[in-house]
Amino acid sequence: MIPVKDAVYLYPLSIEDVLIIYKTIDRERDYLREWLPFVDETTHIDFTRAYVQNVLDTNQIQYSIYEGKTFMGLIGFSHMDKADKKAEIGYWISERQQGRGIVTHSVKKLLEIAFSELELNSVRIKVAVGNEKSQKIPERLNFKQEGIEREGLLLATKEFTDLAVYSMLKREYVNDLE
């Protein structure tokens, strides 16, 4: 359990999270599918169970975000490259929980883990251009925008969208977000 802020904590993803993850996606399907193409494939709890089991089987570092007993979303590292000491951070949060700084503070906690415990040198966040709420997170944390990955994400609408690529280097990291 990792404290984020107030009563918000990150818990290592577990098989016990499957039902609440699935229910959240199913309840907010129309909203989440705009930027999360996997939502359309998540038509049955078995898809979520397979995702969580794969995370556990491959020792990926993924967390569930909770406030008390309320599930809020997921955050974690993807594309971990231990040889080159780099990774990406990916996240999503329930529409009901947005606008409170939860993801910003959760990303900050992952940066602490990345640069201290995991001894990474570089962390990236890729955000669909147009997803302004999500783009504000790396900007607020002083990531540098490296550029645009053209047509880097195939949306649920079967249209490609560009991705804004942000990065932070260990030497740039300052642990001062309140």
Side-chain angles (χ1 to χ4, degrees):
M1 171 175 77
I2 301 168
V4 174
K5 75 177 241 187
D6 303 327
V8 177
Y9 293 89
L10 303 180
Y11 293 92
L13 188 63
S14 101
I15 205 72
E16 286 79 28
D17 294 319
V18 168
L19 182 59
I20 192 65
I21 293 169
Y22 176 75
K23 283 184 174 182
T24 301
I25 291 170
D26 196 46
R27 180 183 64 240
E28 299 186 17
R29 186 170 301 283
D30 290 339
Y31 176 78
L32 292 172
R33 79 181 295 270
E34 180 177 9
W35 302 114
L36 301 173
F38 67 83
V39 169
D40 282 359
E41 299 171 7
T42 309
T43 57
H44 192 274
I45 194 169
D46 290 341
F47 180 90
T48 306
R49 185 176 294 108
Y51 166 76
V52 171
Q53 192 61 56
N54 180 63
V55 166
L56 298 174
D57 291 346
T58 58
N59 297 312
Q60 295 176 46
I61 302 171
Q62 299 287 319
Y63 297 96
S64 294
I65 306 168
Y66 279 89
E67 182 173 41
K69 295 185 183 240
T70 302
F71 173 79
M72 302 174 85
L74 296 178
I75 189 167
F77 294 103
S78 62
H79 302 95
M80 181 79 72
D81 182 339
K82 292 181 182 180
D84 288 324
K85 297 184 176 280
K86 63 184 180 178
E88 290 180 25
I89 292 177
Y91 47 80
W92 64 267
I93 190 165
S94 167
E95 180 180 21
R96 299 173 180 188
Q97 305 300 333
Q98 293 183 4
R100 299 174 44 212
I102 302 301
V103 176
T104 300
H105 285 277
S106 297
V107 169
K108 180 181 176 267
K109 288 296 179 183
L110 261 59
L111 288 172
E112 291 175 17
I113 293 168
F115 295 134
S116 61
E117 296 174 31
L118 299 175
E119 299 180 352
L120 298 179
N121 183 59
S122 175
V123 174
R124 285 189 175 160
I125 294 177
K126 294 182 179 182
V127 180
V129 171
N131 187 347
E132 294 175 11
K133 290 179 185 177
S134 194
Q135 281 184 269
K136 288 180 182 177
I137 293 164
E139 291 168 358
R140 193 175 296 123
L141 292 170
N142 297 314
F143 277 67
K144 306 291 185 238
Q145 186 173 353
E146 292 184 352
I148 301 294
E149 182 179 329
R150 297 181 312 145
E151 297 187 358
L153 179 66
L154 180 61
L155 298 172
T157 60
K158 304 301 179 207
E159 298 174 86
F160 284 96
T161 190
D162 295 341
L163 295 172
V165 180
Y166 297 89
S167 71
M168 180 176 288
L169 301 177
K170 183 176 185 174
R171 63 182 161 82
E172 298 168 335
Y173 174 66
V174 178
N175 187 357
D176 67 352
L177 182 71
E178 292 300 320

